[in-house]
Amino acid sequence: MSTRFPFTAVVGQQDLQLALLLNAVAPNIGGVLVRGEKGTAKSTAVRALAALLPEVEVVAGCRFSCDPASPDPTCPDGPHIVEAAEARAARMVELPVGASEDRLVGALDIERALAEGVKAFEPGLLAAANRGILYVDEVNLLHDHLVDVLLDAAAMGASYVEREGVSVRHAARFLLVGTMNPEEGELRPQLLDRFGLTVEVAASREPDQRVEVVRRRLAYDDDPAGFAARWADEESAVRQRIVAARELLPKVRLGDGALKQIAATCAAFEVDGMRADIVMARTATALAAWDGRSDVLAEDVRQAALLALPHRRRRNPFDAPGLDEDKLDQTLEESAGEDDDPDPGPDGPGGGGQPSPDEGPQGGDAGARPEAGEDGEPQPAAGGAGQQAPARAAEPFRTKALTVPGVGTGAAGRRSRARTERGRTTGALRPRGALTKLHLAATVRAAAPHQRARGRSGPGLVLRRDDLRQAAREGREGNLVLFVVDASGSMAARQRMSAVKGAVLSLLLDAYQRRDKVGLVTFRGTAAEVALPPTSSVDAAAARLESLPTGGRTPLAAGLLKAHDVLRVERLRDPSRRALLVVVTDGRATGGPEPVALAGRAARLFGAESVASVVVDCESGPVRLGLAGRLAEELGGTAVTLEELRADAIAGLVRDVRGTTSRRAA
C-alpha cells in the first residue's frame, strides 16, 4: 500500500483542512464540496484525511460495517448476535465518475439468482463507505441520477434499494467529500445545497508559500515513507484532537443567542429553506468542540457562515458563489443586540450609498446612439476603434426546450431523446459487446425453452451466452448548443443588443438546466472568432456574452464557416454528442465581394449535414427585409423572432425544427 501525503503537511489550505476536520468531528454536518482550480491539493488533502480518522469497531463478517455496540436491526447480513468484533481503519471509498447505479447502490446478485435460483443482494459502494469516507473526484461530471442517489443517502443515513425484485435497506452513514473544477461545469443549485460545507481553493500567489509547496512535494516524491515519518507527531496530535472533539461534542451548548445569530444570518442572505440554519448550527457546535470549548461563541457562528452559506446564496445559476463579509459582520452585530442605533443613516440599513449594479448611472447613454453611415450601419463611437462598449443583457426569461430530432446516443442530459443506460426500458436486444444492463425477464424467456435439452436438474437455469439479453432503455441526452452571435454594427443599437443578449442568456439558462455543452462564436468587422470553445461551463459562456463588444460590418459567412469548423472538430472529439446550431442575427451580410451569396453557400453546408438549426431573427422596426428567414431556409432550419422565443410561443418552434429536419432527411 502506498504511503499517502500527510494531511498536516499540506501548505496554505487552512479553510479546506478545517472543513474536512469539522466533518470528521461531526459527520452529520453533511460533507464538504471543494471547488477550485487544478493543482491545488484538493484530492491530496481528502485522501490524507482518511489516515487521521480513528479506527472503527465492526461486526466481524458484516459487509455493511455494523457497529457491534448497536448493530443495524435491518442489516441485510443480520440479525447480528455479536460474538466477535474487529477493529479496522476507517475506509475511504472512491466513486468513479463513470460508475453505474448498480455499482453505487448494489443490485441483485445475478450470478446466484440464475445459477442457484436464490435471491441475494450484492452491496455497492454506499455499503462499503458506511462509517467511513465516500470521495467523489470531479463530482460536477457525475451523472445527475447518481448525484441524486448519493446525496439522498448522505442526507438520510441509509440506502434504499428497490429494483429487480430486491427490496433492501442498509445503513449508509459516511463523510461525503466532493471535489470539482468550476471551469468544467457547475453543479445544479439544488445539489449544491445538499453539501453541508463548501470551500473555494486556489494556488497561493505568495512566492515563499509556493516554494514551500514545491519543497515538500519533492521531498515526499523522493522518500514517501521518510517524509511521512517526519510528520508523524503532527498527524498523531490531530488524530487525538479529533477523538477529544468527538467526545466533547455532545456536551457543547448552543445558546439562544447563537441560534438567533444563525437565523438572522440565513435570513439576511436570503438562503432557501432551513437546511442552511441546521448546517450552521452543527458546524458552529463542531467548531466549539474542535477548540475544546463547551459554549458556542459569535466567532464560531461567523466561521460557520463562511463555510455553510457561500454556495447557498446563489440567486440564479450564473451568480458566483461568495459571501459579503461586511454584511455578515453587520448582521451578527445587529442580531447580538450590540447595535442599538435606531438611525440607519441616509442610505438605510444597507448603507454605503452605492448604486445597485443593475441600476447603472442615471441618464446613462440614452442619447449616445451612434449615427448611421451610408450602408445603414452605425458608425463606431469616438475612440472606439470600430466597436462600442458592451451592452447589458436584458432580464432573462423562461424558454422551452429546443430539441434535436431523432434518437441519439450521447451523454446523459435533459434535452433530446437518446438511448441511455438509465431511463425507461423500451425492449431487449442481444448484446453486441460486454453485457452492461441485463434484461432479466427476456433472458429467462430466451433460456426457458432449452432447459430440458440442456439437462437441467436443479433449481437454477442452465444458461448459454446466446440467452443473455441487454435491456434497451430510452432517456434524455445533453447536446452541444453552439451559439453564433452577430455582434456587428447593425446589431449595435443599445436596446436591441440588450434584448439579443437577454435572449441568448435565457437559452444559456435552459442549456445549464438541461446539462448541455455550449460554445460561442461571434462575428463582427471583417472576421469571426470562437469566443468560447465548447465547454460544460455555461457560466463561462454567460460571462463572455456579457462582455461582448459590438460594431463594424457583418461578416455572416465568416461566422457560419467558423461555426462549421467548430462542429467538425467536436464531432471528432465526441462523435455521439449531437449539435444544435443557434444563429442570432438580423440576417444582413456586408463586407467583401458578394457577401449575401457567400453566406448562403456557407449556410448550405449545415443543411447538407442535417445539423439541427434555429435562426433567432433580431430584425426590428416597421419595415423588415426577412433576411433571417432566408438564412434559415438555407440552413434547413427554422426562424423565430425575439418575441416568439418566450416559453408560450416556443412550442411551435420545436415542432418546426422537427418537421423541417424530417422533411430534409426525406
Side-chain angles (χ1 to χ4, degrees), residues 267-496:
F269 285 97
E270 301 180 1
V271 296
D272 297 327
M274 295 298 298
R275 185 175 285 118
D277 304 62
I278 296 170
V279 171
M280 274 190 66
R282 290 171 175 168
T283 305
T285 304
L287 279 162
W290 178 248
D291 286 341
R293 290 182 277 103
S294 58
D295 287 300
V296 174
L297 305 179
E299 62 194 56
D300 299 323
V301 176
R302 185 182 191 279
Q303 183 64 58
L306 292 174
L307 292 172
L309 295 188
H311 60 305
R312 293 187 166 91
R313 62 159 296 277
R314 292 163 56 120
R315 306 313 300 166
N316 70 64
F318 299 144
D319 287 341
L323 211 62
D324 184 339
E325 295 194 33
D326 291 336
K327 180 178 178 180
L328 173 61
D329 292 335
Q330 179 183 354
T331 302
L332 292 174
E333 289 178 6
E334 292 175 351
S335 59
E338 298 176 4
D339 185 1
D340 297 325
D341 184 1
D343 182 9
D347 299 308
Q354 297 296 322
S356 166
D358 293 329
E359 294 172 359
Q362 294 297 319
D365 51 5
R369 186 174 298 172
E371 298 180 358
E374 294 180 0
D375 61 356
E377 296 190 1
Q379 297 300 301
Q387 72 179 43
Q388 300 177 33
R392 182 180 295 276
E395 189 69 20
F397 50 84
R398 186 175 62 88
T399 70
K400 290 183 180 178
L402 301 173
T403 61
V404 177
V407 181
T409 56
R414 298 187 171 189
R415 182 171 296 276
S416 305
R417 293 173 56 202
R419 290 183 290 274
T420 61
E421 289 192 358
R422 185 177 186 270
R424 63 186 183 91
T425 300
T426 58
L429 45 84
R430 292 179 183 271
R432 296 181 179 177
L435 180 69
T436 56
K437 292 288 183 180
L438 179 74
H439 194 299
L440 184 58
T443 299
V444 171
R445 284 197 300 268
H450 309 290
Q451 296 306 295
R452 179 175 296 179
R454 294 173 183 174
R456 172 184 169 184
S457 58
L461 289 176
V462 180
L463 290 178
R464 299 287 186 266
R465 172 70 185 177
D466 290 344
D467 299 330
L468 299 179
R469 295 295 183 268
Q470 176 87 19
R473 297 182 177 180
E474 184 175 300
R476 292 280 171 176
E477 67 176 359
N479 298 115
L480 167 59
V481 182
L482 182 61
F483 294 92
V484 183
V485 180
D486 185 347
S488 65
S490 65
M491 302 280 288
R494 282 285 175 178
Q495 288 184 332
R496 191 175 180 193

Side-chain angles (χ1 to χ4, degrees), residues 35 140 180-189 192 200 314 316-321 505 508-509 511-513 515-520 532 535-547:
R35 299 163 42 93
N140 52 324
M180 60 175 284
N181 183 349
E183 295 177 356
E184 297 173 339
E186 279 284 2
L187 280 173
R188 302 195 312 269
L192 278 172
E200 295 278 339
R314 292 163 56 120
N316 70 64
F318 299 144
D319 287 341
L505 185 62
L508 281 172
L509 280 165
Y512 171 87
Q513 293 163 352
R515 311 298 285 171
D516 294 316
K517 290 180 71 174
V518 297
L520 179 62
L532 183 72
T535 175
S536 296
S537 179
V538 180
D539 298 48
R544 300 291 173 86
L545 176 71
E546 189 68 27
S547 61

Side-chain angles (χ1 to χ4, degrees), residues 377 385-387 484-489 520-531 548-563 565 588-592 595 598:
E377 296 190 1
Q387 72 179 43
V484 183
V485 180
D486 185 347
S488 65
L520 179 62
V521 173
T522 64
F523 57 94
R524 54 177 293 274
T526 60
E529 67 170 341
V530 181
L548 179 65
T550 56
R553 294 186 177 274
T554 312
L556 177 57
L560 294 174
L561 290 173
K562 181 68 71 174
D565 288 342
R588 298 183 64 180
T590 60
L598 186 59

Side-chain angles (χ1 to χ4, degrees), residues 534-597:
T535 175
S536 296
S537 179
V538 180
D539 298 48
R544 300 291 173 86
L545 176 71
E546 189 68 27
S547 61
L548 179 65
T550 56
R553 294 186 177 274
T554 312
L556 177 57
L560 294 174
L561 290 173
K562 181 68 71 174
H564 188 268
D565 288 342
V566 170
L567 293 183
R568 177 180 56 81
V569 173
E570 282 302 303
R571 276 194 292 268
L572 296 175
R573 291 176 176 170
D574 191 355
S576 63
R577 188 181 291 269
R578 298 185 294 164
L580 174 64
L581 182 72
V582 179
V583 184
V584 185
T585 181
D586 57 8
R588 298 183 64 180
T590 60
E594 299 183 343
V596 176

